[in-house]
Each structure stands twice: as C-alpha cells, then as structure tokens.
Amino acid sequence: MKFFTKEVKIALVAIAAIVVLFIGMQFLKGMSIFSSNDLYYASFNDVSGLSASSPVYANGYRVGVVKSITYDYNQPDHIIAALDLDPQLQLTKGTRAEIASDLLGNVKLELHFGQSSDGIVAKGDTIEGALQQGLMSKAAEMIPQVEQLLPKLDSILSSISTLVADPALKGTIHNAEQLTASLNTTATQLNRLTSHLNGQVPTMLSKADTILANTETLTGNLSQLDFDATMKKVDATLAGLQQLSAALNSPTGSMGLLLNDSQLYENLNAAMRSVDSLLVDFKQYPRRYINVSVFGRKNN
C-alpha cells in the first residue's frame, strides 16, 4: 500500500497552501517571519485607531510594526502594544511612542527618542505611549469655539446682505466709478503736460543760458563804463538846458520877448487875421488882383 496516495497528496497541497497564505498575510502586514527582530512594549491609555500590523516609524523611516495589542481588563487604562522593531535600532531612555494619523485616516506609530546620554532601553522593556495631537485633534478642539462663532457670523452675513441691498451703496459705487474715471482723465492730462514740459525744458534751459550770457555781457559792459565822465556830461547837458530855459524866460532876449510880450502877440494875431481876410477876398474876387487880357485892358 502506497503512502502518497491521492488523498495524501491533496492534503499536503492544502497544508502548503495554508502555510503560504499565512506567510503572505504576515508579509503583507509587515510582520517578520524568519528574521529575529527585537520586541519592545509600549503602554497606552488610549489606542484609538491603532491595530496589529500598524507601521512603526522613527524620524519618518519605517523601523518595525505593531505585532499585537493586549488589553488588560483589570486595568482598562493600561493597554500594552508589542512592537516588533529592527534589531539595529537602539531606543534611548525617555523614548515615547505616539499614535499619529493623517488626513486619510491611516494610523501609524511614531517613535520620539529621548536623550542619548540617559542610556539604552533593554530589549523587552516597556516605553511610554500617547496619542499625538495632530491637525484633526486640534480641529476637533476648535469645534466648540466655532459653534459659538456661528450665530455672530450669521448676524454679520445678514448685516452685509442688508448693506449690499441698500440703494445708497450702489449710488456710492457709481460715484466712485465716476470719480475714478475723472482721476484717470486728470492723470492722463498731467502725463501729457509733463511730457510737454519735459520737451520744453531743454529749450527753456537754452534760453536761460542765453539770457545769463547776455546779462554777463551787459554786466561786463557796465563795469567798463566811466561813470564819472558820463555824469559830468549829464551835468553839462543839464546846465545847458538851464541856460536855455533862463534865456527863454528873460524879457530882454528875442525869444523872451516873443514869449513874454503880450503886445507883440496881439500884433502877430492881428496880422494873421488880416492875411486870412486877404486870402478869403482873393479867393472870391481874384480878378481884382490879377487882370490879364490878350487884346488889351478892358475897363470895368
């Protein structure tokens, strides 16, 4: 009778499949099957989200896995998690294990090392564990404050809605738009004026230089004048004018008599009237004064 019958072969294949399935599940969980990792323990009051096969990290690097979690029914606040860690990792005294979770809900265990000078934690010893205050925990702590702010926020939104619906606000916005347009126009005009002035500045500077040069020339010419000689000439001219004025006012001179003798004035005036009468009579009766005849004189 053969030992490896058909039934035995089927049983052996089934056992091998179960072993492979177990090893595969342990591998997927991160459990070490054949390696000799070091086992440590962490004590927690609360292990929310932590489970066996949760990864263990140190400074962002995966160094092991949570092998198992034991709940002490006699001491509910004393929960022990077995940590299967890399044998090359050495835990310093004061190291803490904190349960952390990300926004996707993935839970992991992070190791925070203590002072290296305090010594090394022996294999199989227990370290302190705690929950990490992550962003979600902080957000949960802020929920009561947010609930208190909601009524005030609703009141603020209502006030804003009332303000937006006010026609005066629309008028103010319209006026602000007009004012902005006016300011833009003014700014454009100022830019044009500035550009024009910038273009005229070289010409103005050139003219100013010319004026300064002429002023310097005039100042130089004035500095070269002989003021004493000029003043003497002016004094001489004034003296001559005084003599002329004295001669005109003197009753003995010809010009003085002409200007001051009233009888001479009357005689000249009478003579002018006589000449005027003679000219009028000459215009009216020219034949009295001029008589020209081709055939001889004719008696009137």
Side-chain angles (χ1 to χ4, degrees), residues 43 69 230:
S43 176
I69 299 176
T230 302

Tab-separated table of all heavy atoms in Angstrom, residues 43 69 230:
chain	number	residue	atom	x	y	z
A	43	SER	N	3.143	51.249	26.528
A	43	SER	CA	1.957	51.310	27.374
A	43	SER	C	1.121	52.541	26.989
A	43	SER	O	1.638	53.666	26.927
A	43	SER	CB	2.369	51.390	28.847
A	43	SER	OG	1.236	51.548	29.668
A	69	ILE	N	-1.648	43.802	20.246
A	69	ILE	CA	-2.148	44.738	21.251
A	69	ILE	C	-2.887	43.934	22.310
A	69	ILE	O	-3.766	43.117	21.990
A	69	ILE	CB	-3.082	45.794	20.637
A	69	ILE	CG1	-2.340	46.637	19.576
A	69	ILE	CG2	-3.650	46.697	21.714
A	69	ILE	CD1	-3.221	47.634	18.864
A	230	THR	N	30.585	160.110	-17.588
A	230	THR	CA	29.193	160.145	-18.021
A	230	THR	C	28.396	161.131	-17.181
A	230	THR	O	27.573	161.894	-17.697
A	230	THR	CB	28.585	158.744	-17.922
A	230	THR	OG1	29.355	157.836	-18.718
A	230	THR	CG2	27.154	158.732	-18.435
